[in-house]
Amino acid sequence: MTASTETAQPSFAEQALRIREHILKMGASPHGAHIGGSLSCADVLLHLYTRVLDGRPQEPDWPNRDRFVLSKGHAAPALYAVLAETGYLPVEELETYTQPGSRLAGHPLSRVPGVEFPTGSLGHGLSLGTGVALAMRRLGRPARAFVLLGDGELQEGSVWEAAMAAAHYRLDNLVAIVDRNGLQITGSTEDCVALEPLADRWRSFGWSAVEIDGHDESVLEKTFAALPARTGKPTVIIARTVKGRGVALFEGKKKSHSVQLSPRLYQRAKKDLRSGRTT
Amino acid sequence: MSDVRTEAPPEQGWAERYAVPAREAYRRTLVDLARSDPRIFCVDSDMGGLETLFGEEFPAQYVNVGIAEANLLGVCAGLAHSGLRPYANTIASFAAARACEQLKVDVAGNNLPVRVVVTHAGLSAGHYGPTHHALEDIAIVRTLPHMTVVVPCDAAETEAVVRATTDLPGPLYVRLGRGATPLVNEGPYDFRLGEARLLREGENVTLVATGPYPVVMALEAAELLARQGYSARVLNMHTIKPLDTVALGRAARETGGIVTVEDHVRVGGLGAAVCETVAEDHPCPVRRIGVPDGYLDHVADERQLLEYAGVHPQSIAAAALSIARGRE
């Protein structure tokens, strides 16, 4: 990076750090938060909202906007943080996360600006995205549908109902992103109900599958700039990520799934984050 | 198929025109509506028939998502959210029971204008057996937020319902049977969502029915009662939600008692909905005729199954008499 000036945009790394700080703060709120899966998809979400999605924060219902569906709704803290940092939400509102009267529930509500569909029950998002993609084609709009799924979520059968239909209808305006952090509540996805060979499974369903490092800015840039990966096919981006990414205390740990951070733990996690240590 | 012209006299050949299953009337009406409404989008789940009737005429407004009902309703929510008017086509049990969560979260929860048009409701699947019966769907769908629930009593009313609801801003559940059922309406009429239709005036008791055979049986029961010197009012309660509480209040006040009739279990459906409003606002005796608790694995046709389950004109008349005589 060149030397920053007062008007320079913050770097991706600086923005990503802020997103993670917000997530930890929500984790320190009275009800805690799904920290691990929020930290794992933070870079993907940040990249989507700052470089990929065509949208207008001041006009969230702009008809030609790209639609985003957070199918893994429990990563709401990451979404709220990104929405706040990109102008959809006041940053101060993050302080209200899960507090009585707040718009910011543990899983996203559609009355939050920038949230298209309320999610939280897994296995719904890809069908919603498929419907949106079909509608955009029918309406002749250039808008695309992006759906972020958890990897454990892929155990829901409805995901594969949607995957079959989207490929059948050749929806190349539909992009699924799998936050492949490898962990679900009880441990490794491969020990629970195995997902691998994951890319091959998507390909066998008729999708164009790309496997990437979901934390690498330049890889994200290159991948999302080249969509659709194949004309006439929906694309799935399997983003290999680390659960709890950025906080050594939580990285790769299943216990990071849902945590209420004590003041002591919160300080330690923040210190971890700033030190930039990753496993 | 020509339009239902409101408040017109019965047409020549009316009965012949509607001597078809209600679902057939729905399909033809949908095709007719799509000719002038580009928002209409037909989403099929391999039901058979729509792919030619609708899909061939409007290939850009038709998709078949296959045998995948959860996805069917999620896709419809996505389409509706984007400004289209999707009609989801499946079997009652598969929408209300199998894909209940998509119906709850994606369709009803978002208050989206998805029309869920189901067939094989009640015992209309007859000999197909209990996997294809839907005796609990009204109970399920009427608890869902924003959901409008309509049960047309014949093919003519089905066409009227479909035409009257194209601009309904929220979700709609239309409950249809499978085969052809008797024509209850004698001519076209001005269907009003949420307003019970008076089929027969009476003063000793009111029979409130929903669905094809329940309405037919209520009319038959009214005849039986007339022979015994009692006059029964008959209401076709085609809209379960929002319920016509005005007509029910009047029935309670003017006739002093209500018998409900439905092709649904006795809990959670029309009878329960009527009891809720009557108990709170218009106390009067109510008897509920419906399918009792139990797994109905008897093999028979629709009307026979209903009668086997205790839903028949005689049981309706007996319930009405118990109310009317109780007052004497």
Side-chain angles (χ1 to χ4, degrees):
Chain A
M1 291 291 290
T2 53
S4 63
T5 66
E6 278 182 9
T7 54
Q9 292 294 309
S11 71
F12 185 83
E14 286 164 348
Q15 283 180 301
L17 182 65
R18 283 178 62 83
I19 299 300
R20 289 193 162 85
E21 284 173 344
H22 290 313
I23 292 169
L24 289 182
K25 201 163 183 186
M26 287 182 251
S29 70
H31 296 302
H34 286 96
I35 291 179
S38 293
L39 292 169
S40 64
C41 68
D43 297 313
V44 167
L45 271 178
L46 177 63
H47 182 74
L48 269 173
Y49 273 84
T50 54
R51 315 283 162 85
V52 181
L53 297 176
D54 194 4
R56 297 176 178 173
Q58 302 312 314
E59 191 189 351
D61 294 331
W62 177 50
N64 284 341
R65 69 192 182 281
D66 288 328
R67 271 71 166 176
F68 173 72
V69 183
L70 183 69
S71 196
K72 50 171 289 186
H74 57 283
L79 179 64
Y80 297 152
V82 170
L83 289 174
E85 288 295 330
T86 52
Y88 285 89
L89 277 180
V91 174
E92 314 81 72
E93 193 170 339
L94 297 179
E95 303 279 342
T96 72
Y97 171 74
T98 67
Q99 295 308 294
S102 173
R103 293 191 290 187
L104 307 182
H107 298 91
L109 303 174
S110 54
R111 59 197 168 90
V112 176
V115 173
E116 304 280 357
F117 297 96
T119 50
S121 175
L122 299 173
H124 288 233
L126 198 58
S127 295
L128 296 168
T130 300
V132 167
L134 278 167
M136 292 305 129
R137 175 195 282 178
R138 160 79 185 137
L139 295 166
R141 296 206 186 119
R144 301 168 294 175
F146 292 82
V147 181
L148 179 63
L149 301 126
D151 50 1
E153 179 180 4
L154 303 183
Q155 289 157 359
E156 292 281 4
S158 53
V159 172
W160 301 98
E161 290 185 6
M164 273 191 279
H168 181 81
Y169 286 101
R170 304 168 61 87
L171 297 176
D172 58 10
N173 56 346
L174 174 66
V175 181
I177 305 142
V178 177
D179 182 22
R180 185 69 173 115
N181 63 35
L183 291 173
Q184 54 192 110
I185 288 178
T186 55
S188 160
T189 57
E190 301 317 284
D191 292 338
C192 183
V193 170
L195 301 174
E196 295 295 343
L198 190 54
D200 286 343
R201 287 187 175 180
W202 282 94
R203 288 185 190 113
S204 76
F205 273 69
W207 286 59
S208 182
V210 189
E211 287 187 87
I212 63 165
D213 176 344
H215 299 302
D216 186 319
E217 182 194 358
S218 63
V219 171
L220 288 167
E221 181 68 47
K222 204 162 61 184
T223 307
F224 281 90
L227 291 173
R230 291 262 298 277
T231 304
K233 283 188 174 196
T235 302
V236 60
I237 296 169
I238 298 170
R240 302 227 171 247
T241 60
V242 176
K243 195 153 184 164
R245 168 76 175 197
V247 182
L249 184 63
F250 294 134
E251 284 193 348
K253 304 260 173 49
K254 68 178 182 184
K255 71 178 180 190
S256 72
H257 182 78
S258 180
V259 190
Q260 200 277 322
L261 294 175
S262 64
R264 194 179 58 83
L265 213 53
Y266 174 53
Q267 292 308 326
R268 201 176 137 198
K270 271 206 304 188
K271 209 167 124 193
D272 256 10
L273 194 58
R274 297 217 178 95
S275 74
R277 285 186 292 123
T278 53
T279 52
Chain B
M1 172 170 278
S2 61
D3 293 350
V4 163
R5 282 173 286 277
T6 55
E7 290 164 2
E11 295 167 9
Q12 198 72 23
W14 165 269
E16 290 72 24
R17 202 178 117 202
Y18 285 114
V20 295
R23 58 177 175 153
E24 190 58 28
Y26 151 68
R27 289 170 175 185
R28 292 182 195 174
T29 306
L30 189 65
V31 168
D32 193 43
L33 287 171
R35 292 188 179 122
S36 57
D37 190 343
R39 300 171 305 169
I40 289 177
F41 205 96
C42 178
V43 189
D44 195 357
S45 59
D46 207 44
M47 293 292 287
L50 282 163
E51 75 284 8
T52 46
L53 192 67
F54 193 103
E56 285 181 7
E57 187 166 345
F58 305 103
Q61 286 164 259
Y62 170 87
V63 290
N64 183 357
V65 298
I67 307 161
E69 293 78 14
N71 187 46
L72 168 78
L73 294 179
V75 164
C76 284
L79 288 161
H81 185 267
S82 306
L84 298 177
R85 288 282 183 277
Y87 285 73
N89 296 275
T90 183
I91 283 177
S93 185
F94 306 163
R98 183 201 292 262
C100 180
E101 203 195 43
Q102 277 73 14
L103 201 53
K104 169 191 153 188
V105 175
D106 302 327
V107 174
N110 289 313
N111 195 14
L112 288 169
V114 174
R115 285 74 177 96
V116 183
V117 185
V118 300
T119 61
H120 298 62
L123 293 168
S124 64
H127 66 279
Y128 281 9
T131 57
H132 281 57
H133 297 157
L135 291 168
E136 57 295 290
D137 60 325
I138 293 176
I140 295 168
V141 299
R142 80 182 183 92
T143 61
L144 302 179
H146 311 297
M147 186 67 82
T148 296
V149 181
V150 182
V151 188
C153 70
D154 64 9
E157 190 165 77
T158 300
E159 173 167 357
V161 168
V162 175
R163 288 189 187 282
T165 51
T166 49
D167 288 319
L168 189 74
L172 171 70
Y173 184 84
V174 182
R175 185 183 199 252
L176 305 178
R178 177 173 170 267
T181 52
L183 201 54
V184 173
N185 294 287
E186 291 174 353
Y189 71 96
D190 186 12
F191 173 81
R192 289 173 196 276
L193 191 68
E195 267 184 43
R197 184 158 160 83
L198 178 70
L199 296 181
R200 181 176 172 131
E201 192 47 279
E203 53 195 34
N204 300 127
V205 67
T206 300
L207 312 179
V208 180
T210 199
Y213 281 109
V215 168
V216 168
M217 288 174 174
L219 288 167
E220 291 170 359
E223 275 301 313
L224 295 177
L225 289 164
R227 280 183 223 151
Q228 299 192 51
Y230 292 92
S231 82
R233 181 179 295 180
V234 179
L235 291 178
N236 166 19
M237 193 62 80
H238 48 67
T239 309
I240 305 288
K241 186 184 174 188
L243 193 64
D244 188 347
T245 55
V246 174
L248 289 171
R250 204 177 295 136
R253 212 166 43 246
E254 295 170 2
T255 71
I258 293 171
V259 178
T260 62
V261 192
E262 60 196 305
D263 53 352
H264 186 275
V265 288
R266 293 177 69 247
V267 293
L270 170 71
V274 167
C275 284
E276 288 157 14
T277 184
V278 167
E280 283 190 350
D281 301 320
H282 318 284
C284 78
V286 178
R287 303 279 184 275
R288 292 170 295 127
I289 302 295
V291 178
D293 189 39
Y295 198 63
L296 193 61
D297 58 1
H298 184 69
V299 180
D301 291 335
E302 181 176 11
R303 177 151 183 157
Q304 295 163 338
L305 274 172
L306 281 167
E307 290 176 354
Y308 177 81
V311 180
H312 45 72
Q314 290 76 17
S315 64
I316 300 165
L321 281 175
S322 78
I323 292 177
R325 287 183 175 148
R327 280 199 308 265
E328 288 169 357

